[in-house]
Amino acid sequence: LFDGALVESVLMRYPGRVTLCVSSQAGCGMNCPFCATGQAGLTRNMSAAEIVAQVVEANRAIANGELGGLRRDGGHDAPRVTNIVFMGMGEPLANYNRLMKAVRTMVAPQPNGLGMSARQITVSSVGLAPAIRKLADEDLPLTFALSLHAPDDTLRDELIPVNSRWKVDEALDAARHYFEVTGRRVSIEYALIKDMNDHAWRAELLAQKLNERGRGWVHVNPIPLNPTPGSVWTASEPDVTREFIARLEAAGIPTTLRDTRGKEIDGACGQLAAADA
């Protein structure tokens, strides 16, 4: 950025769409111990212009053929970014006003905006409950994703330090409120960490807490933990992962194991540290 602060955004191509994982802060102040960004600490909030500029730069890269060109054989066939996920560096809701200004610019018609669909934009949070409720009142059909990672306060206090302020039940209540106001199904993000949060009883507790708040309002996305430098934690074993998902599905919770992409370039979830090249 203009002052030398470093951020990363990640382009991902899929059949029929191109997703950009964008950052909302340079660094992150949430201090989650399994995330490289959190361990680096917070440098500063990004401006709305800096957030939007990531999309402009990504569209330029696509136009320049940096995704290998348009094709119809299973690669990307979108000429520009179609989907946005605010899952890059930073806690989006901790930079709320600039986040919303950027989102409204993304969805505003061209030429004043980027002409994107709000339904193709996902905003994630580690659980800033008041801001989640505020987001619900923005009158935009965004997708909301709650990075939960543990269904019990004892463990989540350790994994997500902000849980000491807003507990699991408060975060889930705010997420349910988001669904009630917007009608948009909420995603629960859950990084599976070996021998830490991947126990079958935790899957059952998660299902219980979600079902207590109704049916059809939520979808769980487990994802194997991506390695970060110096971390003693690693991803769950495949059989443990399968059992965790089976317990959720048995309780009627829609669950999809998320694809892990970008580990080879340190560009996967939890790996964005923006080191000098």
Side-chain angles (χ1 to χ4, degrees):
L1 307 179
F2 75 93
D3 58 355
L6 293 168
V7 299
E8 290 188 288
S9 44
V10 185
L11 262 175
M12 297 167 282
R13 62 179 180 183
Y14 300 89
R17 74 183 194 275
V18 176
T19 298
L20 182 67
C21 180
V22 300
S23 295
S24 54
Q25 296 177 309
C28 184
M30 296 296 104
N31 200 33
C32 302
F34 57 89
C35 175
T37 316
Q39 292 310 289
L42 177 64
T43 301
R44 66 170 174 84
N45 282 329
M46 294 174 66
S47 70
E50 288 170 335
I51 295 171
V52 174
Q54 295 171 89
V55 188
V56 176
E57 287 297 320
N59 284 334
R60 182 176 292 124
I62 295 168
N64 289 339
E66 293 179 35
L67 280 187
L70 303 182
R71 60 182 198 249
R72 299 281 177 174
D73 59 355
H76 83 91
D77 57 359
R80 63 202 296 264
V81 173
T82 58
N83 296 60
I84 298 289
V85 290
F86 279 92
M87 296 180 178
M89 301 176 72
E91 162 58 47
L93 298 187
N95 189 17
Y96 190 92
N97 290 339
R98 297 175 184 89
L99 165 76
M100 291 314 304
K101 187 174 182 180
V103 168
R104 293 192 182 280
T105 300
M106 291 174 185
V107 302
Q110 296 178 346
N112 296 323
L114 299 182
M116 303 186 72
S117 168
R119 294 180 178 275
Q120 306 304 320
I121 297 176
T122 298
V123 175
S124 70
S125 174
V126 294
L128 280 61
I132 296 169
R133 292 177 177 273
K134 187 176 180 181
L135 185 68
D137 296 327
E138 292 286 351
D139 196 29
L140 284 171
L142 304 168
T143 298
F144 174 67
L146 175 63
S147 295
L148 193 68
H149 307 309
D152 54 306
D153 288 322
T154 301
L155 178 57
R156 197 167 192 266
D157 283 347
E158 180 179 348
L159 294 181
I160 312 288
V162 78
N163 197 70
S164 62
R165 178 82 178 274
W166 296 290
K167 297 299 187 181
V168 169
D169 285 334
E170 291 176 87
L172 289 176
D173 285 345
R176 170 68 194 191
H177 175 78
Y178 188 89
F179 168 77
E180 290 173 351
V181 171
T182 66
R184 302 283 292 163
R185 189 170 66 163
V186 170
S187 294
I188 301 292
E189 307 298 310
Y190 199 105
L192 285 167
I193 308 171
K194 183 178 180 180
D195 299 329
M196 179 66 71
N197 68 349
D198 59 356
H199 310 94
W201 70 265
R202 281 198 160 94
E204 293 175 350
L205 178 59
L206 173 60
Q208 174 190 327
K209 285 182 174 287
L210 297 179
N211 283 334
E212 284 172 353
R213 290 165 172 82
R215 299 282 182 139
W217 70 278
V218 73
H219 183 277
V220 176
N221 288 320
I223 185 169
L225 181 75
N226 292 302
T228 57
S231 174
V232 297
W233 296 338
T234 188
S236 301
E237 298 293 341
D239 59 331
V240 175
T241 297
R242 287 191 292 269
E243 179 63 20
F244 192 92
I245 293 172
R247 296 293 179 102
L248 287 169
E249 291 179 337
I253 303 293
T255 306
T256 303
L257 182 65
R258 269 183 54 191
D259 187 18
T260 297
R261 289 172 166 238
K263 280 196 293 186
E264 69 280 1
I265 58 168
D266 290 336
C269 290
Q271 292 187 319
L272 303 186
D276 280 306

